[in-house]
Amino acid sequence: MRKALVFPLFALLLLSGCVSAVKYDLKAKEVDALAVQKSDLEGQIKKLSDDVEALKKEKDTLQTKVDELSPKAEKAEQLEKATQTYQDLAKKLEKEIKEGQIEITEMKNRLTVTMVDKIIFPSGSAEISKKGKEVLDKVITILKDVKDKRIQVEGHTDNVPIVSSLKKRFPTNWELSTARATEVVRHLQEAGGIDAKLLSATGYSEFQPVGSNDTEKGRRKNRRIEIVLLPLFTK
C-alpha cells in the first residue's frame, strides 16, 4: 500500500518541478525581452538626445545668420526707401531742377535738396516768398511720408557782409543763415504738418562754401538752403 502511494507522490513532485522550471524559463525569457526593450529604448533616447542637440546647434547657427543678415536687410530697406524718396522728389521738382534752381544729391545715408536762395527768399530777407512757399509745398508732399529720417534744414550765405538797414536785424551772415533755416523749418512744420521732432535748423553763415566767393557765379552757388535727410539718432 505504501509503495502505491509513493509513486503518485513522486510523480506529483516531478510534475511540480517541471512546472516551476517552465515558469522560470518563461520569466527568464521575459527578463531577457525586457532587457532587450530597455536597451532599445535607451538607444532611442540617446538618438533623440543627439537629434535635439543637433537641432539646438542648427538653431544657434541659423540665429547667428539671422543676426548677421538683419542689419544688412535693414540697411537695404533704408537704402531702398531713400532711393524712392530721391526719385519722388526729383519727379516733383523736375521743373525747378531743369531750370537750375534745385539740385538733389544722394550719398550713402545723406539725401540733400539744395535750393538757391532766391527761389525761396527775396534778396537779404528771411521771409519766404510766395514762390518759395510753392516750392516748399512740393517738397512737403514727399517729406510728410518720411518717418525714419531726420530732416535738417541748413542755411548758407556768401561772404559779402550785410549792409544797410538789414544790419540791425542780421548783424552778420550767421544771423541771416540761421533765420532762413528756421523759417523753412517752421513752414515744414506749420504748413506741412511734419513732425517737429524730426526737424532741426542750422545756420552755417559763409563757412561751408561750395563755390568760390571770388566770383559772382560762386557766390550765387554759396547762397543756398539745403534740406538734408539723415539717419535718426540712435540711443
Side-chain angles (χ1 to χ4, degrees):
M1 182 67 180
R2 185 176 296 175
K3 289 182 179 180
L5 290 172
V6 170
F7 178 76
L9 182 59
F10 176 77
L12 182 61
L13 290 173
L14 183 61
L15 181 61
S16 176
C18 291
V19 171
S20 296
V22 170
K23 287 183 177 181
Y24 175 82
D25 290 340
L26 290 174
K27 291 297 182 181
K29 290 180 180 179
E30 289 179 7
V31 170
D32 292 341
L34 289 173
V36 172
Q37 290 179 14
K38 177 175 178 292
S39 178
D40 290 342
L41 290 172
E42 288 175 345
Q44 293 177 28
I45 291 171
K46 185 178 184 307
K47 184 177 184 304
L48 289 172
S49 296
D50 292 342
D51 290 344
V52 168
E53 192 63 30
L55 288 172
K56 285 182 179 178
K57 290 181 180 179
E58 185 176 353
K59 178 187 174 184
D60 292 341
T61 301
L62 290 173
Q63 187 60 52
T64 300
K65 291 181 179 179
V66 169
D67 293 340
E68 291 174 353
L69 291 174
S70 291
K72 294 180 180 179
E74 184 177 351
K75 187 174 182 179
E77 183 180 0
Q78 291 176 350
L79 180 60
E80 183 179 353
K81 287 181 180 179
T83 301
Q84 185 61 52
T85 302
Y86 174 92
Q87 293 173 353
D88 292 342
L89 285 168
K91 184 176 181 181
K92 182 67 69 173
L93 300 169
E94 182 178 6
K95 176 176 177 292
E96 289 77 11
I97 292 172
K98 286 182 178 180
E99 292 175 352
Q101 297 174 323
I102 290 179
E103 181 180 358
I104 303 175
T105 57
E106 186 176 27
M107 294 181 63
K108 295 183 178 180
N109 292 324
R110 183 184 178 100
L111 189 156
T112 304
V113 181
T114 302
M115 297 172 282
V116 294
D117 67 337
K118 67 179 182 179
I119 196 177
I120 306 295
F121 299 101
S123 179
S125 172
E127 294 182 9
I128 302 173
S129 65
K130 181 180 178 181
K131 172 64 176 176
K133 290 179 180 179
E134 291 174 358
V135 172
L136 289 175
D137 288 344
K138 290 182 180 181
V139 175
I140 285 169
T141 61
I142 307 301
L143 296 189
K144 68 181 182 179
D145 295 325
V146 176
K147 307 297 182 183
D148 60 344
K149 297 288 184 182
R150 290 187 291 126
I151 301 172
Q152 179 171 291
V153 180
E154 302 177 355
H156 300 266
T157 68
D158 57 24
N159 67 345
V160 177
I162 295 175
V163 295
S164 69
S165 59
L166 289 174
K167 195 169 181 64
K168 291 183 179 180
R169 186 178 178 188
F170 309 115
T172 69
N173 283 320
W174 281 112
E175 287 80 9
L176 178 60
S177 64
T178 303
R180 285 180 167 181
T182 301
E183 282 298 306
V184 172
V185 162
R186 284 187 57 194
H187 188 78
L188 295 181
Q189 179 194 358
E190 295 173 2
I194 294 177
D195 188 352
K197 294 177 182 178
L198 300 176
L199 295 169
S200 63
T202 305
Y204 287 102
S205 185
E206 64 202 63
F207 299 105
Q208 289 195 8
V210 292
S212 172
N213 278 310
D214 295 330
T215 66
E216 175 55 33
K217 182 179 179 181
R219 289 192 294 271
R220 191 163 53 245
K221 290 180 66 177
N222 292 334
R223 298 190 297 267
R224 68 197 190 277
I225 289 291
E226 294 184 345
I227 299 177
V228 186
L229 273 61
L230 297 164
L232 291 173
F233 290 116
T234 55
K235 295 181 179 180

